[in-house]
Amino acid sequence: MNGGSVVAMIGKDCVAIASDLRLGSQAVGLASNFEKVFPVNDKLFIGLSGLATDTYTLRESLRFRVNMYRMKEEREITPETFTHLVSSTLYEKRFGPYFIEPVVAGLPDATPLNPNPKPFISTMDTIGCITTPKDFAVAGTATDKLYGVAEGLWEPDLEPEDLFETISQTILNAMDRDALSGWGAVVHVISKDKVVTRYLRGRMD
Amino acid sequence: MSRFNPYEENGGSILAIAGQDFSVIAGDTRQSLNYSIQTRYAQKVFPLTSSAVLAVNGFAADGKNFVKRVKQRLERRMFPFYVYNILAGIEEDGTGAVYSFDPVGSYEREACRGAGAAQSLLQPFLDNQIYFKNQTLAPGAEPFVPGRLPLSTVLSLVVDAFSSATERHIEVGDGLEMYVVMAPGRSADDLTAEEAQQAKEWPSELTVEEMESLGDEQEEGKAFRVFRLSRPLKRD
C-alpha cells in the first residue's frame, strides 16, 4: 500500500475535509504532493485514501459518472446522491474491490424540498457500505490515531475558522504518529459562499 | 496444530502525566478477553511506595504477578512478563516524574505516556495537549514548557483522553482510576478545596480520597501525599 489518511468534519453551516500529501511504497517515501481529496462540484469534495492507483482510477470513473448525471439531470449532484453513486460504483467490484476507503464532504444547496440543508459527510468501506456520521469521518493508515485526536478536539457547531484549526490539528498530530502518512497536508473548508483551501507544512520525517 | 500460547491480551489502557511538583497516573478498569468482558473492575494502577505508583497493562495474570514480585526485585529476560509498565511519582529533587517501560525493561523518563490497547488513540492527543506539538506561540505569549501544566488541566485532559478512547475502542471503558502523587510540602488545595471542585474545568462525577501513606519516612510536613481519584466511564 501507498499510505495516506483523510479526515472530514462537520461545523456550523460548514464542512471541512483534509488529507496528507505523502505517496509512498512501503516505508519509502516517493512524493510529497500527492493530494487525496478531489472536488466533485463547487461545494462537494471526495477523499480517496488507500491504493494510489485506485485513487486515480476511481476519481476518473466518478468524474465520468458525475458528468453523465449532470448532463442527464441538468443539475448538480447532491452529497447524499453522490455518496450512493460512490457506493454502487464500489459494490460493482464486490469480489475484487478497489482498495479505497472514500470520505465524502459537502454542503448541499437549498432547494424548495429542502430549504435548510445541513452540512453532510459520509464514509464507506472498500465495497461501499455507507456510514453518515454527525461529527467526523476518518479513513486511511492513521485511522485509529485520527479517531483518538478528533474525539478529543472536535466539538459541535464550530465556525469555519475554528473548524479549520480543529481539523488541521487533528490531521497533523495523527499524521506525526503514523509512519505511512505525513509530508504535509491539504485542508478544504467549505462554507456557504466560498471554499478555502490551505496547505499545511508538517514534519518531513 | 496450533502451538500453545502462554500469553493473553486483556485490553485496557493506562496513561501518566508529570507536573512540576506532582504526577498523575491513570488506567481504565475494564478487563476483557477477545470480545468478552471478564470484569468491569480490575485494578491496573498500584501504589508501590509512598512516592511511586505503577500502572501495568497487557496480560493481566502476568501483571498481577509482576506487581506482587516487583517489590522483591527480579530480572526476567528470556521469558518476560507480557506487560507494559508506566511508573509515576516524585523524583528525589521533588519534581513529578513519569517513566515508561517495555516488557523486557527498556525505559525512558518522559513528561507523559499512554500505553495499552488504545495507545494509538491516546498518544497523539497527548503529543498535542502535553507536548504542545504542532502548536505555535501567539505573539507575546508565555513559551510552552511540557510538564508544567496545572493539576486541574492535567486531570481534565486525562478524563478527556479516556472518554475519547472509551468512545472509539471496545476494550476501554467501565471505570477510570487515577492516582495523584504530590511532592512534600505541596498544597493539595487545587485537588481537595471546595473551590477547586466547583470550577468549570473540574471533571464531572469525580471522587477524591487521600491514601494512607505506604512509607515510613513520613516526617510531619515532609510527607508525600497520594490521592485516589475515580470516575465512571461508559459501559457499552
Side-chain angles (χ1 to χ4, degrees):
Chain A
M1 285 279 238
N2 309 107
S5 299
V6 177
V7 55
M9 286 181 175
I10 286 181
K12 190 171 195 295
D13 303 318
C14 58
V15 276
I17 183 166
S19 82
D20 71 322
L21 295 177
R22 183 180 182 271
L23 170 75
S25 173
Q26 308 278 33
V28 181
L30 299 174
S32 59
N33 58 357
F34 191 80
E35 295 187 34
K36 295 153 195 81
V37 178
F38 308 104
V40 177
N41 60 41
D42 285 356
K43 289 179 189 171
L44 179 57
F45 285 73
I46 184 168
L48 301 168
S49 72
L51 192 69
T53 181
D54 287 347
T55 299
Y56 281 146
T57 307
L58 205 57
R59 182 190 65 173
E60 289 308 307
S61 119
L62 290 169
R63 189 165 75 94
F64 169 74
R65 287 173 174 212
V66 168
N67 284 341
M68 291 303 284
Y69 181 97
R70 195 181 282 125
M71 286 189 289
K72 282 181 177 163
E73 298 278 326
E74 296 187 325
R75 64 190 171 101
E76 287 300 328
I77 196 166
T78 64
E80 291 92 329
T81 312
F82 178 66
T83 297
H84 282 93
L85 185 128
V86 178
S87 174
S88 31
T89 306
L90 288 171
Y91 199 79
E92 273 181 5
K93 297 274 182 287
R94 171 63 177 80
F95 296 109
Y98 294 113
F99 295 116
I100 292 286
E101 291 173 78
V103 175
V104 174
L107 206 55
D109 278 321
T111 59
L113 274 176
N114 185 193
N116 296 310
K118 288 190 167 64
F120 178 91
I121 56 170
S122 68
T123 34
M124 276 147 272
D125 63 8
T126 51
I127 53 171
C129 177
I130 302 167
T131 30
T132 51
K134 288 190 291 288
D135 41 16
F136 48 83
V138 303
T141 53
T143 294
D144 46 355
K145 288 115 181 165
L146 286 164
Y147 271 134
V149 191
E151 198 67 61
L153 298 185
W154 186 87
E155 45 190 279
D157 295 326
L158 289 163
E159 296 295 334
E161 279 307 303
D162 296 330
L163 186 67
F164 166 73
E165 190 65 29
T166 306
I167 198 171
S168 301
Q169 289 293 333
T170 300
I171 196 165
L172 284 171
N173 289 286
M175 248 161 46
D176 289 350
R177 284 282 175 181
D178 183 28
L180 299 182
S181 299
W183 273 13
V186 59
V187 182
H188 307 274
V189 182
I190 309 154
S191 42
K192 208 173 168 197
D193 48 0
K194 63 171 183 277
V195 177
V196 178
T197 301
R198 291 188 179 96
Y199 289 85
L200 308 177
R201 292 179 60 180
R203 292 175 64 114
M204 296 303 275
D205 57 358
Chain B
M1 269 299 277
S2 68
R3 244 174 74 89
F4 171 66
N5 177 203
Y7 295 123
E8 279 175 4
E9 191 70 75
N10 296 112
S13 264
I14 53 175
L15 126 74
I17 300 172
Q20 172 87 288
D21 51 6
F22 66 87
S23 56
V24 178
I25 182 161
D28 71 318
T29 65
R30 176 175 294 183
Q31 192 187 106
S32 56
L33 184 62
N34 303 323
Y35 290 121
S36 296
I37 295 171
Q38 292 176 318
T39 170
R40 295 187 191 277
Y41 185 76
Q43 222 179 321
K44 277 195 262 293
V45 195
F46 304 92
L48 274 189
T49 69
S50 63
S51 63
V53 183
L54 182 70
V56 194
N57 192 218
F59 181 20
D62 270 5
K64 257 189 151 178
N65 224 240
F66 181 81
V67 174
K68 200 166 151 190
R69 289 163 70 169
V70 77
K71 291 161 188 167
Q72 303 159 23
R73 255 210 311 280
L74 75 166
E75 284 177 20
R76 239 168 105 114
R77 178 62 212 286
M78 299 321 293
F79 189 48
F81 286 115
Y82 190 63
V83 286
Y84 287 87
N85 290 301
I86 303 178
L87 183 69
I90 303 297
E91 199 55 274
E92 281 185 340
D93 62 4
T95 59
V98 166
Y99 287 87
S100 63
F101 300 78
D102 79 353
V104 290
S106 306
Y107 70 95
E108 183 181 9
R109 185 179 174 178
E110 296 172 295
C112 69
R113 169 61 60 186
Q119 180 181 39
S120 59
L121 285 78
L122 296 171
Q123 198 62 47
F125 180 68
L126 297 179
D127 289 345
N128 188 220
Q129 298 293 315
I130 304 292
Y131 288 114
F132 308 106
K133 289 278 170 68
N134 293 114
Q135 290 196 247
T136 44
L137 218 51
E142 285 280 300
F144 302 131
V145 185
R148 292 277 193 283
L149 289 171
L151 179 58
S152 58
T153 310
V154 170
L155 290 181
S156 58
L157 284 174
V158 173
V159 171
D160 280 1
F162 271 97
S163 308
S164 299
T166 301
E167 203 66 46
R168 294 289 177 174
H169 199 113
I170 55 168
E171 291 176 4
V172 180
D174 293 331
L176 174 61
E177 194 166 52
M178 295 187 265
Y179 286 86
V180 180
V181 192
M182 289 186 182
R186 183 193 191 279
S187 163
D189 286 354
D190 53 357
L191 190 62
T192 53
E194 187 76 13
E195 200 179 74
Q197 302 191 6
Q198 298 301 323
K200 191 166 159 277
E201 205 179 17
W202 187 259
S204 61
E205 296 180 84
L206 192 63
T207 59
V208 182
E209 53 175 329
E210 182 155 7
M211 302 289 290
E212 220 170 281
S213 175
L214 288 172
D216 46 21
E217 82 287 12
Q218 305 281 313
E219 205 179 301
E220 190 58 33
K222 289 261 168 65
F224 296 101
R225 298 176 74 182
V226 180
F227 296 84
R228 177 183 174 278
L229 286 65
S230 65
R231 203 197 96 105
L233 290 172
K234 282 171 77 171
R235 291 157 61 88
D236 55 6

